[in-house]
Amino acid sequence: MDNREILNLSKNSFMRSKIIASIYDLLHTTSLQKLSVTQVCEHAGISRSSFYHLFTDLSDAMNWEIGRVLSDIAKQNPLQTDWREDLILQLIAFMEYCQRDEVVCKKLSSGMNQMDPSAMFCSTRILRKQDFLKLIETLQGKPADERTAFQVEFFVCGESTSLVNWGKTMKERPRD
């Protein structure tokens, strides 16, 4: 993020960015399980009350960040004609994003594996499902039928577990 982008952020967005950057920095030297809100706040130079004003815990902070990244990717790679292929392209783009910092991604994936990965992605998953169904409605000119809605939900639920499992080793290339 360059200085112009920082100047355009709201106070809450700036604080969220600071918190997420601190989490990423700290994950280079510690595991997700050992990371505490206090450490993140000290590293970010903010109070615990500022953290808790924005997030309920570290999982909530990471869920917000995952949602933000996935939202950006969806905007850059919108659903166009074949929503199934388009969703896969978005997933590939997210995996490629994760590869930029393998250390952090592997630690997050290992940490999420010990927690419930579906809890980490819960609010993100709900929003993604709603967004995809709206986009499909826009593409088709009518709401998704029951079968398509189920397929979207199935894909989005499987996406979170698959990402966590892939992130632990990153053996496969995203396109594979």
Side-chain angles (χ1 to χ4, degrees):
M1 189 175 295
D2 67 24
N3 289 338
R4 286 183 302 248
E5 289 174 313
I6 290 172
L7 291 174
N8 291 326
L9 292 176
S10 69
K11 181 181 177 185
N12 283 348
S13 294
F14 176 74
M15 293 298 282
R16 282 187 178 100
S17 296
K18 241 178 133 167
I19 290 166
I20 297 302
S22 292
I23 292 171
Y24 275 61
D25 285 348
L26 292 167
L27 283 174
H28 282 100
T29 57
T30 191
S31 67
L32 183 61
Q33 297 83 2
K34 292 183 180 178
L35 191 59
S36 70
V37 170
T38 301
Q39 289 171 300
V40 171
C41 291
E42 287 174 1
H43 187 271
I46 64 169
S47 67
R48 286 172 53 85
S49 63
S50 293
F51 178 94
Y52 287 114
H53 174 71
L54 298 168
F55 301 113
T56 57
D57 56 21
L58 292 174
S59 291
D60 185 38
M62 291 314 304
N63 194 38
W64 177 85
E65 174 64 2
I66 290 165
R68 184 196 65 76
V69 171
L70 287 169
S71 177
D72 287 350
I73 287 169
K75 288 175 189 165
Q76 294 165 10
N77 304 284
L79 300 183
Q80 294 177 9
T81 53
D82 182 347
W83 65 267
R84 291 168 186 86
E85 288 297 318
D86 295 337
L87 289 178
I88 291 170
L89 292 175
Q90 288 182 11
L91 180 59
I92 290 168
F94 184 73
M95 293 168 80
E96 288 170 346
Y97 169 85
C98 292
Q99 283 185 313
R100 293 180 196 150
D101 194 340
E102 283 191 37
V103 171
V104 169
C105 186
K106 286 180 180 179
K107 285 188 178 186
L108 284 172
S109 295
S110 295
M112 284 188 275
N113 195 44
Q114 292 175 0
M115 294 186 261
D116 178 9
S118 61
M120 177 65 104
F121 283 89
C122 187
S123 62
T124 301
R125 207 172 53 235
I126 292 166
L127 291 173
R128 281 179 61 74
K129 177 186 168 192
Q130 291 169 348
D131 288 346
F132 292 145
L133 290 175
K134 284 179 197 171
L135 287 168
I136 289 169
E137 182 174 354
T138 301
L139 288 172
Q140 296 178 351
K142 62 180 181 179
D145 60 31
E146 192 175 319
R147 178 182 166 97
T148 302
F150 173 78
Q151 289 174 340
V152 168
E153 184 170 3
F154 188 80
F155 178 88
V156 173
C157 288
E159 176 183 57
S160 57
T161 302
S162 297
L163 283 169
V164 169
N165 291 335
W166 171 79
K168 288 186 285 184
T169 62
M170 295 181 149
K171 286 181 182 174
E172 295 148 342
R173 296 181 325 202
R175 294 216 178 259
D176 294 341

